[in-house]
Each structure stands twice: as C-alpha cells, then as structure tokens.
Amino acid sequence: MDDDVGDLRRRGTDCEVIVNAGPWSSGGSRTLSTTGRRPGGAPPGTLRRLRVPATAVGLLTLLTGCANATSAGGAGPDHRGEIDLVLPDLGATTVLGIPGTTVLWLGLVVCALGLASGLVASVQLRRLPDHPSMREIADLIYTTCKAYLVQQGRFLVLLWTFIAAVIVTYFGVLVAMPWGKVAIVVAFSLVGMAGSYSVAWFGIRVNTLANSRTAFASLAGRPLPVHRIPMKSGMSIGMVLISLELGTMLIILLLLPADVAGACFIGFAIGESLGAAVLRIAGGIFTKIADIGSDLMKIAFKIKEDDARNPGVIADCTGDNAGDSVGPSADGFETYGVTGVALVTFVLLAVEDPALQASLLVWIFTVRIAMVVTSGLAYLVNDAVTRAKFFRADRLNFETPLTALMRLTSVLSVAATFAVAWAVLAQSTPDGLWWKLATIVSFGTVAGALIPDLVRAFTSTGSRHVREIVKSSRQGGASLNILSGLVAGNFSAFWLGIVVVALTGGAYLVSLQGLDALMLAPAVFAFGLVAFGFLSLGPVTIAVDSYGPVTDNAQSVYELSMIEEIDGVEEEIRREHGFEVRWERGKQMLEENDGAGNTFKATAKPVLIGTAVVGATTMIFSIIMALTDGLTRDLDKLSLMHPPFLLGIVTGGSVIYWFTGASIQAVTTGAYRALEFIRRTIRIDEGATRASAEDSRRVVEICTQYAQKGMLNMFLGVFFATLAFAFVEPYFFIGYLISIAVFGLYQAIFMANAGGAWDNAKKIVEVDLHAKGTALHDATIVGDTVGDPFKDTSSVALNPVIKFTTLFGLLAVELAVSLTAQGRQTLVLALAAVFFAIMVVFVLRSFYGMRIRTSLADDAGPAVEETDGASPGAGHAAPADISTRPGTEAGDVPAVEAGEPSGREVRTRRERTGAGKGEQR
C-alpha cells in the first residue's frame, strides 16, 4: 500500500493532515482519490487542513512569551520537582552479600535473554508450515498493517512537537535549567515514544506470521497446535515488550548520572504515554470502522463471515492488528513503564533516608526482574503440561490452558515476591518491612489473577450473562440483545469495583503497620504497590491479550485463502505434510479458539485500566507533594470544603463522557462511509469470487482517514484540557485528575465487558447453535457491532489517556504555579481561558467535524451532502437501501431484477459445488 494512505502528506517543511469529508465525488464515482483531488483537479468535498507543526510553534511562542514576561518580572523561585530528584547510591544495598548494582546488572542480562527468547520464538513461528494461499493473505495483511503503522509513526512525530514545546519552554526558558538536562528530557521522551512504537511494530509482525500458521494447523483437525501457535506468538510479544521496557529503565539507573535520572524517567514516561495514547485511540477507531463495515454486510447480503467478495474484510483483518495488537502492545509498554516511574518518584519524594531509598529501589527492580523469570518458567511448565494432556486429543476447551497459565504464574509470582523481599530487605530494613511490602504487592498479584476470572463470568461463552443475551435475543431481537448486554456491563463494573476496593483496602490496612515511621503517606505507596502487583504476571498478561488477534485473523485467513477450491489441494497437503485434511473440523476449531481469544482479550482490559487508576494515585501524590511543600501546608485545600477541588471533581467526569462519545462518533461516521463504499462496490453475482485489491485498499484508506481525524481531535482536546485546567487552579486540577481516574475506571470496565459479552453472544449462536444466517444471528450481529466501539475503542483508550493526563499534568501544573509565584495570576487565568477555548474547538470538531454529511431524506431518494460554510446543493446520491444489491449505476443502487435470486438465495460456485466440505449454512 502507498505510504500516503489516509492523506498524510509532506509539503516542503510544513506537514498537513488532510481529511476528505466526502470520500466520493458528487457524481457517485467509486474513486477514492489518494491525492486529495478529483480526476478533474477540483478539490473533493470539504477538506480539513490541520497544520500541526504550525500550531505547536504557536504554542511554543505563547509559552515562551509568558516565560520572558516572568523573567522580566524577577527571578523565579528555585525549582524543586520530580525532574531534580537524585538517585541514592544503589551499590550500598546488598542482596545476600551481592551489591545492589550487580543485581541490577544481572537484571539487564535477564532482559537480554528475554528479548532473545522473544526473537527466537518469532523465528520459530516463521519456520512453521503453512500453505502458499494462506501465506499470501497473511502477507497482504502485514503489508497493509505496515503502511498503517508507518503513517501513524509520522503522525506521532507531529504530535510530539506539542510535548516538546512545553518541555523546552518550561524547563529551558522559565526554569532556566541547563540545556543539556533539557535535552535529556526531550531525548528520553523520544525514547519512550519509540519504545511504544517499536513493540507495536514487532507485535504486528509476529501476529501476521502466526495467523496463517494457525489457520493451516487447523486443517489436521487436532486442537493442540491451534492453541500453541497463538500462545507462542503472544508470549514472544510479552517477553520482548517487558524486557525492552525494563531494560531501558535499568539503563537509566545504571549508566546515567544520578542527578539526571529524574529527568530521564519523566521524559521516558511522557513519551511512552504519548505513543500509547495515539496508537490506542487511532487503532481503536480504525479496527471498529472496519469491523462494523464488514459485519453489517453479513446482514445486508446474507453472506458468510470473512467472505472474500467483501472489500471490507482485508480492512477488518488489518484492524484486528491495529486495534488488538498495535494498541495493546503500546499500551502495555506504557503501563509497565509509567507504573515503575511512579514508584521511583514516590520513593525519592516520600522517603528521607537515602539508605532506605536505595534498598526500596533495588527491591522494586529485583521483583520486576523476578517476574520476567517466573512468567517464562510458568509458560514453559504450562506448555509442557498442555502438550502431555492434549497431544492426541480431538477436543479441547481452549480457555482451559490459558486459565491454568494465569493461575500458575500468579502462584509463582507471589512466591517470588516474598523470596525477593526477604533477600533484599530482611537484613537492611527494620520491623519486618520485607513481609509487609511483599504482602501488599501480593494483593495486587491476586487482583491480577482474580479480575480475569471475574471478567470471564461476564464475557465467556460459558457465562450465564452471555447466555442470557442469547436467550433475550430469541424473542426480543437486537433490542433485548443490547439491553441484556448493558446489564452484563453494569453488573461487571460493580463486582470488579468491589474486588479492587477490597484488595486495595487490604493493602491500606497493611500499610498501617508501622510504615508511617519510614515514609510520608504510606497508604499512597501501598496503592502504587498494588498497581505494581497487578502487573506481576508480566509477559503472560500481554501474551493472553495478544492471543485474540491471532485467533481472529486465523479465521479470516482461512476463508480469504479459498483453499478448499484449489484443485488437488488435499492430495498436495497429504503428500507434502503427511496428514488428511479435515475441513469442517478445522473451521469449527478456529471458531472455538476465536471465542477463547475474545474472552482473554476482555480479561486484560480491566487489569490495565485498574493499573492506570491505582498507579495514577501515586503520580497525583507527586503533584500534591510539590504543591504542599512536602505535606506541610495547604492541606485544607484537598477537601470538598475547597470549592475549586470539588469543581475539579465534577469537571473530570464530563471530560470522560465527552471522550467516549467522541471516540464512538469517529467510529460511527467512518463506518458509515465504509459501508457506503462497500455497498456500491461489492459484487455477489455468480461470477464473483473475491473483491479487488483496489477496493480493499480503499476501504483501508477510509478507515485510516477517519481514525487519524478522530484521534487528532480527541488527543488535542485532552492536551489543551490538561493545560487549561492546570492553569485554572492547582487544587482544581488535583480534583480533576482524581475524577478522570475514578470515572474512567468504571466507564472503561462497563464498556469493555458489555462489548465482550455481546461479542461472545454472537459466537455462541455461530459455534454452539450453528444458527448463522438466521434472525437470531442477525440480532447478535447488531449487538456485536454496538459493542465493538465499546470494548475496543472507548474503554481501552481511557487507560493511556488517564496516565498521559497525569504525567503531562506534572509539567503543566508546575508551569502554572511558577507563573503565579511571580505575581502573574492574571496572565495564568488568561492562558487558562485561551487553552480552554482551544479545547472547546476540538471538542466541537469531534462531533460537528465528524458528523455524517447527508440529508435526512430517505436513502432511496436523492440526497444532498451538507458542507461547512456553504448551502446544500452540490451533493451526491445517498447509498441505497441495505437490502438491495449493487448495480452498475454510479448513483443509487438499483433494485434486484425480477426473477433474479437475492439475499440468502445468492450462492457462489463454491457453495453450490462444495457439498461435503462447505461451510455451516
């Protein structure tokens, strides 16, 4: 695919994002121009030009002007924040007689081995057998994913200029920090962003290797390889991701001067949060535009899932990787990194004794090193047990080995936590601190294992809630299907919330056992350690999350390869690979495995959002420490009796609801355009076998186009909201951060689990009831398409957004406080108003700039497209009714001709001649 997919083009030194509001010309042409112009040279529809670097330069100029004004007014106060934190001598701590720095160097070796094991696994996947027809489809998916990710990389660099503007202005100009140190912050923000981006790239490469191998392995009719291949690919991603992130932080600890470590950590965390936020938001929008566009065609034309004639299927496969691989990989990298930075920051701020600081830091990183080892060991043991138990089995509940792996890893992690705590802390710290801290971390580890079990109670194909959705759909159709799914989501938010509160409350009780004599705010440290424990399953959490995209793509690769129609393919496989092909059994296993993948994709989401919320508490504490001069003044302002604090709490909830609405709106409009194009180009007549590559490419372009436009509106809205609210009043901002964390937690859990329940309700109808093509199936498809942006767009994007807002808020609130301390209160409030006005512009654009631009007239009649700033008149015909078949006219779709089969009666040559090896009807 061309690198200009999505109309991101570079002109001279100025970069623009150009979004075409109307993908087709008024004459109904099927051409979606990649040059942004019609064949005749006129500009298409309405073009949005968002000059990102120019906006960043304007922001830099504005903030620099403020800094100059402040400098003119007098010297600023001494800056003492997270950026100035100095690491203690880690070598002064010993672990069983070994210096702490030596232990950390051994940790770097473990990280190198983890990276090597992940890379070796990817090479092993490449060597597994597949069929050329399947490999061709997998390569096409990878090529499309690669073009998408290249585009997102360019976009990331553009958005990074906003962050760099604030970093340079504040630390370089206002605080007058040495430019070398400012360069370190900027450089490590790039390192963090590159880390998120690189693991996302590795993820799509491994997944697109595994999907064709999984599809081919299913032909033998044995379930074990169908499980082991996606499990190996997921573990490969998990080991590379955790090892790369941990290795980077160890390099900061070991190789850089102690007095610049704070700068490195803060820059690194901000960069990885930026990368995760952008890739999560854009990937979530892309994948659900494609998914909805593909799924609704099953209702419109009564075609099977992943029908090769559907131009939206390749975009759907690309979206599976963009949304379920790229986004989660970047998100996981950021989650582990930010949680570690939060704990390091707390220790250096809240613990006064340098010796205790060193002991705690060595302990934290040694536990993280041990978690990599225990995850790898648990995987090897579980894989050996699974092979021994199911080597010759014809049936396998694919959720069973995944559940066993999670539980085994949890047990090993708890044991390793206590062992490491004893080894590092027992001799150097007083009053049994080692077992208290190990117990607190274990509460988080238990949560990390228990939450997936609870999620399965609401989203698994065996869940009573999911089966309730299917039952309600029998009589109530899509309406009761949707209502029942909302019930599942709401109940899940209650139970998961209670579990998080109970386990975090237990950690708080342990923190009361003498920790206050060693540090400030021990309860906050306990909450941070709970978040740390959430992630103790390390690579395994990432592995089971990455399992889903492979199983989903494997089904698509099977169908798109059309392998069953290849002459002599059974004899070829028997001769070259030595087994008899079992077509029906293979398809059945792929369906079942996809259901397991859906469930475990759902289990990772609450763990990551829970970590974001609990970990954000620790970062908020850092801001509070700076505002209250080490908890010595203004504590009364952290109360509902302080009106700005209360107003901040109310404001945070409003932003969460705007964000979820804006993300769904981007999916809605993009899906509308994709559906419009697919209906006009899909061919289901007797001679059609597969969609053209050009039509498939254009659907990908539509998805990319609306993903980038929607993501830009939402990211810049969040960015300027953070600046605006930080400048209003610092304690208003504290309330705001607390609010987005709490509202975001429950909104994300509700949406993720409701979407997961709808998804697997459809899977029950398809796999267990064999009811494809029925009214019940149609109802569950509608529910699934409602749940798609719930679970894979809005909910998952809240995690990086919460952490980015908190991290970037560290800089924003310090900038505002510094200006206020110089007597520039009026200037600060004026800037707050300016930033708020800019935020409102992007909030308005997130709906009015993304709305569907057709009239309210019946689709079957003429319609005109609305244009900004112009009266209607130069419109194009609206898409025809969903039940009709496309014809040859450029405008409306003609009705089915008399005597011609329509809907389910239309069958391909394969369906008429492939009796005995065809699909489920």
Side-chain angles (χ1 to χ4, degrees):
M1 177 181 292
D2 296 337
D3 284 343
D4 62 350
V5 173
D7 299 326
L8 179 65
R9 290 184 288 282
R10 188 172 300 275
R11 295 177 179 173
T13 59
D14 185 30
C15 294
E16 303 179 328
V17 178
I18 303 179
V19 180
N20 186 347
W24 300 278
S25 61
S26 60
S29 170
R30 294 178 181 176
T31 300
L32 177 62
S33 174
T34 58
T35 64
R37 295 189 174 273
R38 292 181 183 145
T46 303
L47 294 180
R48 310 284 187 211
R49 288 179 171 83
L50 305 173
R51 302 180 186 275
V52 179
T55 308
V57 170
L59 176 63
L60 179 61
T61 303
L62 178 63
L63 294 177
T64 303
C66 301
N68 291 338
T70 301
S71 300
D78 289 340
H79 172 70
R80 300 297 301 169
E82 296 76 16
I83 207 89
D84 287 310
L85 298 176
V86 178
L87 290 176
D89 180 10
L90 302 179
T93 297
T94 60
V95 181
L96 300 179
I98 304 172
T101 50
T102 302
V103 173
L104 299 181
W105 276 110
L106 291 175
L108 269 179
V109 175
V110 171
C111 291
L113 293 175
L115 284 169
S117 68
L119 295 174
V120 168
S122 68
V123 172
Q124 292 173 342
L125 285 170
R126 187 186 296 272
R127 293 174 177 172
L128 290 175
D130 64 353
H131 193 270
S133 63
M134 293 178 169
R135 190 184 317 125
E136 179 185 1
I137 300 300
D139 289 343
L140 175 61
I141 294 171
Y142 174 64
T143 301
T144 310
C145 290
K146 184 168 64 174
Y148 165 80
L149 202 50
V150 167
Q151 196 76 333
Q152 293 306 106
R154 295 172 181 170
F155 215 51
L156 265 175
V157 173
L158 298 183
L159 294 178
W160 172 81
T161 59
F162 286 89
I163 307 302
V166 176
I167 292 174
V168 170
T169 300
Y170 179 57
F171 293 111
V173 180
L174 182 60
V175 179
M177 183 179 290
W179 285 105
K181 201 168 184 180
V182 175
I184 290 175
V185 183
V186 174
F188 270 88
S189 69
L190 279 174
V191 169
M193 188 175 71
S196 291
Y197 185 72
S198 61
V199 296
W201 194 285
F202 180 77
I204 64 167
R205 175 67 284 192
V206 171
N207 284 346
T208 50
L209 288 172
N211 57 21
S212 62
R213 276 73 178 174
T214 303
F216 183 76
S218 70
L219 300 180
R222 298 287 186 182
L224 183 61
V226 178
H227 160 76
R228 293 189 69 217
I229 293 173
M231 191 68 250
K232 179 184 284 289
S233 69
M235 200 63 192
S236 170
I237 296 169
M239 293 299 287
V240 167
L241 185 153
I242 301 300
S243 299
L244 180 62
E245 182 276 325
L246 179 57
T248 303
M249 296 192 73
L250 288 173
I251 287 172
I252 295 174
L253 285 174
L254 295 171
L255 298 181
L256 296 177
D259 62 342
V260 300
C264 297
F265 279 128
I266 296 299
F268 178 68
I270 290 175
E272 59 185 354
S273 288
L274 170 65
V278 169
L279 293 175
R280 260 298 197 187
I281 296 171
I285 296 171
F286 183 108
T287 183
K288 294 304 111 177
I289 291 174
D291 202 355
I292 293 171
S294 178
D295 278 353
L296 290 182
M297 289 301 99
K298 293 186 289 187
I299 299 176
F301 299 108
K302 296 300 180 184
I303 57 178
K304 60 184 170 59
E305 188 162 4
D306 300 320
D307 195 301
R309 298 167 298 176
N310 184 351
V313 172
I314 291 296
D316 187 17
C317 295
T318 304
D320 288 338
N321 288 281
D324 294 335
S325 178
V326 169
S329 297
D331 190 4
F333 185 86
E334 176 249 9
T335 297
Y336 284 85
V338 171
T339 303
V341 170
L343 288 173
V344 170
T345 302
F346 178 91
V347 169
L348 297 181
L349 284 173
V351 179
E352 292 187 4
D353 182 7
L356 182 57
Q357 287 180 351
S359 295
L360 291 175
L361 290 178
V362 170
W363 168 68
I364 288 170
F365 281 93
T366 306
V367 170
R368 296 202 60 196
I369 294 164
M371 290 174 181
V372 175
V373 176
T374 56
S375 293
L377 180 62
Y379 166 71
L380 293 175
V381 171
N382 187 72
D383 184 59
V385 171
T386 302
R387 276 187 295 166
K389 188 174 182 179
F390 299 105
F391 182 73
R392 298 188 181 278
D394 281 331
R395 303 287 302 179
L396 169 63
N397 181 344
F398 290 102
E399 292 187 13
T400 299
L402 296 173
T403 302
L405 175 61
M406 297 284 285
R407 292 174 178 170
L408 175 60
T409 310
S410 299
V411 172
L412 293 178
S413 294
V414 170
T417 299
F418 277 90
V420 170
W422 176 83
V424 178
L425 300 176
Q427 302 302 319
S428 60
T429 57
D431 302 326
L433 181 64
W434 72 270
W435 68 263
K436 297 172 187 176
L437 296 184
T439 301
I440 293 173
V441 174
S442 297
F443 276 115
T445 304
V446 171
L450 186 58
I451 286 175
D453 281 341
L454 278 173
V455 170
R456 285 196 292 275
F458 296 97
T459 63
S460 170
T461 52
S463 160
R464 293 184 181 181
H465 279 277
V466 175
R467 293 181 177 273
E468 184 75 7
I469 295 173
V470 176
K471 294 175 185 177
S472 65
S473 304
R474 287 190 179 278
Q475 297 297 325
S479 296
L480 292 188
N481 175 284
I482 292 170
L483 290 174
S484 192
L486 295 175
V487 170
N490 281 303
F491 270 85
S492 73
F494 169 79
W495 285 112
L496 267 69
I498 292 298
V499 167
V500 170
V501 169
L503 293 171
T504 307
Y508 164 68
L509 293 176
V510 176
S511 73
L512 297 177
Q513 308 304 309
L515 269 65
D516 57 335
L518 304 174
M519 64 187 70
L520 295 173
V524 175
F525 189 48
F527 296 157
L529 290 179
V530 169
F532 184 60
F534 271 29
L535 304 175
S536 63
L537 276 63
V540 168
T541 300
I542 303 299
V544 298
D545 188 39
S546 300
Y547 188 93
V550 176
T551 60
D552 198 350
N553 261 195
Q555 280 186 286
S556 302
V557 168
Y558 183 102
E559 295 292 348
L560 292 172
S561 70
M562 303 178 70
I563 188 172
E564 294 179 62
E565 295 187 13
I566 299 175
D567 292 337
V569 67
E570 295 182 359
E571 176 59 31
E572 174 193 345
I573 293 174
R574 184 186 307 112
R575 181 178 65 253
E576 296 183 6
H577 300 282
F579 64 82
E580 296 290 336
V581 177
R582 299 170 63 184
W583 301 110
E584 290 301 321
R585 179 67 190 131
K587 287 186 286 188
Q588 179 75 8
M589 285 193 304
L590 291 176
E591 290 269 18
E592 293 172 356
N593 204 19
D594 186 32
N598 288 340
T599 300
F600 279 84
K601 280 191 297 184
T603 63
K605 294 180 176 73
V607 172
L608 293 178
I609 188 63
T611 304
V613 171
V614 180
T617 304
T618 310
M619 296 305 297
I620 294 170
F621 170 78
S622 300
I623 302 176
I624 292 174
M625 285 286 289
L627 292 177
T628 61
D629 195 16
L631 303 181
T632 60
R633 60 182 177 86
D634 292 337
L635 295 180
D636 58 308
K637 294 182 179 179
L638 295 169
S639 164
L640 296 181
M641 300 302 292
H642 184 57
F645 181 78
L646 175 60
L647 292 173
I649 291 176
V650 176
T651 304
S654 68
V655 171
I656 291 296
Y657 279 89
W658 157 70
F659 183 86
T660 54
S663 56
I664 294 176
Q665 176 64 26
V667 171
T668 301
T669 306
Y672 178 90
R673 293 302 181 195
L675 286 165
E676 191 177 34
F677 179 78
I678 293 170
R679 288 193 205 115
R680 290 181 174 177
T681 56
I682 190 171
R683 291 181 55 84
I684 57 172
D685 52 76
E686 190 170 311
T689 57
R690 64 171 72 232
S692 71
E694 178 66 15
D695 286 345
S696 296
R697 185 177 68 85
R698 288 174 181 169
V699 177
V700 173
E701 290 174 356
I702 294 171
C703 297
T704 304
Q705 194 174 46
Y706 283 93
Q708 288 191 333
K709 185 177 180 183
M711 182 272 295
L712 186 67
N713 287 329
M714 287 182 283
F715 177 81
L716 292 182
V718 169
F719 177 86
F720 284 106
T722 304
L723 285 173
F725 298 142
F727 274 60
V728 167
E729 204 261 4
Y731 294 95
F732 175 95
F733 188 61
I734 295 296
Y736 170 73
L737 291 179
I738 294 171
S739 179
I740 63 170
V742 175
F743 276 90
L745 171 68
Y746 288 102
Q747 181 82 329
I749 291 175
F750 156 70
M751 299 184 82
N753 291 334
W758 279 315
D759 195 355
N760 270 344
K762 183 188 74 169
K763 191 61 63 178
I764 287 175
V765 172
E766 294 173 343
V767 177
D768 295 349
L769 302 181
H770 306 290
K772 289 183 178 180
T774 64
L776 176 62
H777 189 218
D778 290 349
T780 57
I781 290 173
V782 172
D784 181 37
T785 56
V786 172
D788 278 338
F790 269 49
K791 65 184 175 67
D792 290 325
T793 306
S794 299
S795 65
V796 295
L798 287 170
N799 174 30
V801 163
I802 290 170
K803 283 179 289 191
F804 173 79
T805 301
T806 306
L807 282 164
F808 184 60
L810 286 170
L811 299 183
V813 78
E814 288 187 13
L815 175 58
V817 168
S818 297
L819 289 169
T820 302
Q822 292 297 316
R824 302 285 176 175
Q825 179 68 23
T826 302
L827 176 61
V828 170
L829 293 178
L831 285 172
V834 171
F835 293 141
F836 182 79
I838 298 174
M839 178 204 75
V840 170
V841 169
F842 286 105
V843 170
L844 292 173
R845 286 178 59 86
S846 66
F847 175 73
Y848 291 102
M850 298 293 294
R851 67 192 187 279
I852 298 170
R853 300 179 184 278
T854 57
S855 76
L856 293 177
D858 189 340
D859 279 352
V864 294
E865 182 177 277
E866 302 172 13
T867 57
D868 289 345
S871 60
H876 60 71
D881 185 87
I882 194 170
S883 63
T884 58
R885 182 175 64 84
T888 58
E889 295 294 328
D892 291 339
V893 181
V896 179
E897 297 177 9
E900 184 177 346
S902 62
R904 200 175 345 183
E905 297 176 301
V906 177
R907 302 292 187 189
T908 62
R909 183 184 306 113
R910 170 188 173 188
E911 290 171 327
R912 291 196 304 270
T913 62
K917 61 177 183 179
E919 67 190 84
Q920 299 168 2
R921 295 294 195 264

